[in-house]
Amino acid sequence: MDLSQIKMVATDMDGTLLNNKGEVSRQFFELFEELQDLGIVFVAASGRQYYSIIDKLKPIKDDIYVIAENGALTMKKNEELLITEICRDTYLELIEITKKLEGSQVILSGRKQGYIEDYGQDFETMFSEFCDRYQIVENLSEVTNDRFLKIAICNQKGAEKYLYPALKHLEDRLKVKVSGEIWLDLSHNNANKGYALQKLQERYKISPEETMVFGDYNNDLEMMSRATYSFAMQNAHPNVKAVANYTTKTNDENGVEHMLMRMIKAKKTS
């Protein structure tokens, strides 16, 4: 494993860079300064809302690329580099389908903000961890003044068992992703982390052999395919471990930082 050739690092957030308390370690921010000194492009790639990602990475937000909403939006500072929308007819259709899923909450992710109906304070408190800007509306179908990036559905009993079987028939025309234990996302087929990362690689003429990625869940699978140095967290879903070329420690054991230190050392001694 020759980590000295790495020019780009991309990492998922929840279950990967963030610990189980939703925190970024102080060590990561210290390592980031060394990444900058080495000229390495850093990408935060998450199913989270853009504003939530930059809040978690506030000290470095102007120096990184952000792939948000599972690849539907790529940003650098205030510059929009890529946006992959769902057309209005599609999102209206999806809202009608998803609202019939018993015991589930539906979120409409817009470019400006997220939209939810009134699902109660407990859900709003949990949801606000992933979405900094949102509005509670009477009817999701009546939201018009925005550009729509994805539909997210939450089911506390489990997305893989209770949501995916009911929605997998949409895979012939949409991206259907179990993105967490209780989350499933529906978006345009090109709205995935792998496609968004590929566009950044092309921008900088960086190859998969020069790319390191970290992930833990199914919405990271396409991103894994864009890097020779693909790392599944020890706490990752079996699907991710099956496709990743390597593994690292868990998110609570600073698995990302562990490999970044090894990579930095390799570059400095090469």
Side-chain angles (χ1 to χ4, degrees), residues 33-242:
E33 292 184 16
E34 296 194 65
L35 295 182
Q36 275 198 305
D37 290 342
L38 292 167
I40 294 171
V41 179
F42 181 81
V43 185
S46 177
R48 283 176 176 255
Q49 183 188 59
Y50 167 70
Y51 303 105
S52 176
I53 299 169
I54 61 171
D55 181 65
K56 293 290 184 182
L57 297 170
K58 194 174 297 181
I60 61 174
K61 64 182 178 67
D62 291 337
D63 300 313
I64 65 175
Y65 287 89
V66 175
I67 294 173
E69 305 285 10
N70 281 341
L73 178 67
T74 302
M75 298 283 293
K76 175 70 183 292
K77 289 188 180 180
N78 296 319
E79 184 183 1
E80 186 179 289
L81 302 178
L82 175 69
I83 185 166
T84 309
E85 303 173 49
I86 301 172
C87 70
R88 178 168 170 77
D89 286 347
T90 298
Y91 94 72
L92 288 174
E93 176 194 358
L94 294 179
I95 287 171
E96 288 305 307
I97 293 171
T98 54
K99 276 189 174 183
K100 297 174 183 177
L101 300 172
E102 189 175 345
S104 301
Q105 295 81 35
V106 181
I107 302 99
L108 177 59
S109 295
R111 173 66 181 89
K112 297 177 183 177
Q113 62 184 353
Y115 303 88
I116 58 173
E117 295 180 5
D118 188 355
Y119 298 121
Q121 188 59 53
D122 287 347
F123 177 79
E124 185 180 350
T125 300
M126 184 273 290
F127 166 71
S128 64
E129 162 63 20
F130 305 97
C131 187
D132 271 25
R133 300 185 186 182
Y134 65 92
Q135 179 182 351
I136 298 175
V137 298
E138 187 171 334
N139 190 332
L140 290 176
S141 299
E142 296 175 0
V143 178
T144 57
N145 188 28
D146 207 338
R147 302 158 77 188
F148 302 108
L149 307 179
K150 74 176 186 183
I151 303 285
I153 310 102
C154 177
N155 189 297
Q156 297 288 346
K157 292 182 179 180
E160 209 154 14
K161 182 176 180 180
Y162 289 93
L163 296 177
Y164 181 67
L167 297 168
K168 65 180 181 180
H169 68 281
L170 298 171
E171 287 182 323
D172 62 333
R173 57 195 180 96
L174 295 166
K175 190 64 68 177
V176 181
K177 278 291 175 184
V178 176
S179 57
E181 290 187 10
I182 61 173
W183 295 99
L184 184 143
D185 296 335
L186 301 170
S187 55
H188 189 285
N189 258 323
N190 285 341
N192 65 79
K193 296 181 188 182
Y195 182 80
L197 183 61
Q198 179 184 345
K199 293 303 176 185
L200 288 178
Q201 288 172 316
E202 291 170 355
R203 181 187 182 101
Y204 280 98
K205 296 180 172 56
I206 293 175
S207 69
E209 291 77 22
E210 298 168 321
T211 306
M212 172 185 279
V213 303
F214 299 90
D216 76 308
Y217 231 83
N218 290 340
N219 57 332
D220 298 317
L221 291 173
E222 289 90 350
M223 186 167 69
M224 291 284 143
S225 71
R226 294 303 311 166
T228 298
Y229 296 98
S230 55
F231 289 84
M233 309 303 290
Q234 192 59 52
N235 51 285
H237 189 286
N239 290 349
V240 179
K241 289 183 177 180

